[in-house]
Amino acid sequence: MKKITILAAILTVFMSCGEKKSPQKKTTDPTKSGPLSVDVRVLTRDTVAESIEVAGNILPYELTEIRPEISGRIVSLNFKEGSTVQKNTVLVKLFDGDLQAQLKKLQVQQQIADKTEERQRELLKINGISQQDYDLSLLQLNNIKADIELLKVNISKTEIKAPYTGRIGLRNISLGAFVTPSNIITSISQVDQKKISFSIPEKYSNQVRQGMKVEFGIEGNDQEYFATVLASESVIESQTRNLKILATINDNKNELVPGTFAKVNLTLGQNTNTVSVPTQCIIPSARSKQLVLYKNGEPKFVDVTTGIRSVDNVQITDGVQPGDTVIVTGLLFIRKDSKLKIGKIQ
């Protein structure tokens, strides 16, 4: 019985040793299985432009807070909220009864001073008075005239007028209220023409010029709007490193509302006589950027200088010429001694 058990164990060991190991999968190197098939592109002259999208804000062409120049009580409000008023329309009238009384008093004093000056002038002709006496009477007359002019200016300040034709906002003061120069009565905005403000990164600051066309859109509206660059800030903001730009909107329909958020699209650095390659063709290295050219079935690595970059393509400013054949695919497997064949010309 023991012999049978020992024989069975020996047979089991031999059967285990005789089993074949499963073969391992071999990895294939595409560079050693014949010429590598690659897609290429023949370079031609192209138009390349860099576009950036920034946030903008629509503004009225002019916006003014209406404040009184002097303190006083409001006796008349001559505007409706949200209405359009013409330039120099009297919007608010302040109480000026005391100033009018002072004006009448000075006007009476002027009449007396006029007659006194006239008599003194006649006496001076016959040497009835000295030149000094006449000069004093003339000085008094001129002082009264100056006081009258100053008082008229103060009276004019009791009438608050529209500085330009525009739309009135909401009023913050009621009839009969006492106001000071710190109080905002209402606001007026020139909305028949509008502006848009936006900021761009400092690296693009030299590419934006006065008169440049700007395209923008607003939320919930598929229509494209256009504006013309009016001016830029004189300095770059130190906190954000952005340059503020102001543009005049070309909107004849007057349908844009000031304060609306806008998406501004700027096309910068457009070049109509250049070459470009797909972005995936660029091989970055420590000190340069390279492209792989197809030359008689072999690769040629060349250093290039890049320029404007778009979503899919990048401009090449130096290193290649129109007519060169650039390899687009298979770049990870290409070596300097690789053999190549063209699969597809893009």
Side-chain angles (χ1 to χ4, degrees):
M1 187 68 180
K2 292 181 177 180
K3 292 181 177 179
I4 296 174
T5 303
I6 293 172
L7 288 173
I10 293 172
L11 288 173
T12 302
V13 172
F14 276 108
M15 291 177 64
S16 299
C17 293
E19 289 181 354
K20 296 182 179 179
K21 294 182 180 180
S22 59
Q24 295 181 353
K25 294 182 178 179
K26 296 182 179 179
T27 57
T28 58
D29 186 353
T31 62
K32 296 182 180 180
S33 59
L36 178 64
S37 178
V38 293
D39 294 346
V40 297
R41 172 182 290 187
V42 179
L43 297 182
T44 59
R45 297 198 179 276
D46 194 8
T47 299
V48 178
E50 185 173 14
S51 297
I52 62 173
E53 187 175 271
V54 296
N57 186 34
I58 296 176
L59 305 171
Y61 199 80
E62 298 289 350
L63 177 62
T64 306
E65 293 178 342
I66 303 299
R67 300 171 183 261
E69 293 186 63
I70 60 174
S71 300
R73 176 170 53 87
I74 296 178
V75 296
S76 177
L77 288 172
N78 304 320
F79 65 88
K80 292 182 179 180
E81 296 169 300
S83 63
T84 300
V85 296
Q86 300 298 315
K87 182 179 180 180
N88 292 328
T89 300
V90 177
L91 304 177
V92 179
K93 176 64 179 176
L94 302 180
F95 177 76
D96 65 348
D98 53 342
L99 298 177
Q100 293 291 351
Q102 294 178 33
L103 178 61
K104 290 180 180 179
K105 179 180 177 180
L106 289 174
Q107 287 173 341
V108 172
Q109 293 177 0
Q110 181 185 3
Q111 292 176 0
I112 297 174
D114 276 335
K115 292 180 180 180
T116 301
E117 187 271 335
E118 184 179 354
R119 288 195 298 266
Q120 297 281 27
R121 187 171 64 251
E122 293 299 326
L123 289 173
L124 181 63
K125 291 179 180 179
I126 59 174
N127 295 323
I129 60 171
S130 65
Q131 181 68 42
Q132 182 179 4
D133 292 335
Y134 172 75
D135 291 341
L136 288 174
S137 63
L138 181 61
L139 176 62
Q140 183 180 7
L141 175 61
N142 290 334
N143 284 337
I144 293 174
K145 289 181 178 180
D147 289 340
I148 290 175
E149 292 299 321
L150 178 61
L151 198 56
K152 287 181 178 180
V153 171
N154 289 332
I155 291 175
S156 68
K157 292 180 180 179
T158 63
E159 294 184 345
I160 304 174
K161 299 180 180 181
Y164 45 79
T165 300
R167 184 180 299 169
I168 295 294
L170 302 178
R171 61 181 173 90
N172 304 313
I173 300 296
S174 298
L175 184 66
F178 185 86
V179 294
T180 66
S182 63
N183 296 121
I184 300 175
I185 298 175
T186 185
S187 63
I188 183 173
S189 57
Q190 186 178 353
V191 295
D192 56 342
Q193 190 174 9
K194 303 179 187 68
K195 298 181 289 188
I196 182 171
S197 67
F198 55 92
S199 297
I200 61 173
E202 63 176 329
K203 71 175 183 177
Y204 301 115
S205 59
N206 293 329
Q207 300 184 39
V208 177
R209 297 285 186 269
Q210 184 178 11
M212 180 179 175
K213 299 300 180 183
V214 177
E215 181 182 346
F216 69 94
I218 59 176
E219 196 69 28
N221 190 342
D222 296 333
Q223 183 175 347
E224 294 181 347
Y225 297 92
F226 297 92
T228 304
V229 173
L230 181 64
S232 63
E233 191 58 81
S234 58
V235 295
I236 295 173
E237 298 177 7
S238 59
Q239 299 294 329
T240 61
R241 310 309 306 170
N242 289 338
L243 179 67
K244 188 176 181 180
I245 307 293
L246 198 63
T248 305
I249 297 176
N250 309 324
D251 177 27
N252 297 326
K253 298 181 180 179
N254 198 24
E255 58 185 15
L256 297 174
V257 180
T260 303
F261 171 82
K263 293 181 180 180
V264 182
N265 187 279
L266 286 174
T267 300
L268 303 171
Q270 184 170 350
N271 193 329
T272 58
N273 189 22
T274 186
V275 294
S276 61
V277 298
T279 54
Q280 70 269 19
C281 295
I282 302 295
I283 302 175
S285 60
R287 296 183 179 179
S288 64
K289 299 175 182 177
Q290 291 185 325
L291 286 177
V292 184
L293 301 182
Y294 180 87
K295 295 287 187 178
N296 300 321
E298 296 180 353
K300 180 182 179 182
F301 291 80
V302 294
D303 293 335
V304 295
T305 303
T306 59
I308 299 171
R309 183 181 296 269
S310 62
V311 177
D312 301 318
N313 297 315
V314 59
Q315 177 191 16
I316 305 300
T317 59
D318 187 39
V320 294
Q321 298 292 331
D324 290 342
T325 303
V326 176
I327 299 175
V328 178
T329 63
L331 298 173
L332 293 176
F333 304 105
I334 296 177
R335 303 293 182 266
K336 292 184 177 181
D337 57 350
S338 298
K339 299 299 179 180
L340 307 176
K341 65 178 181 179
I342 296 177
K344 183 174 69 173
I345 299 176
Q346 296 186 0

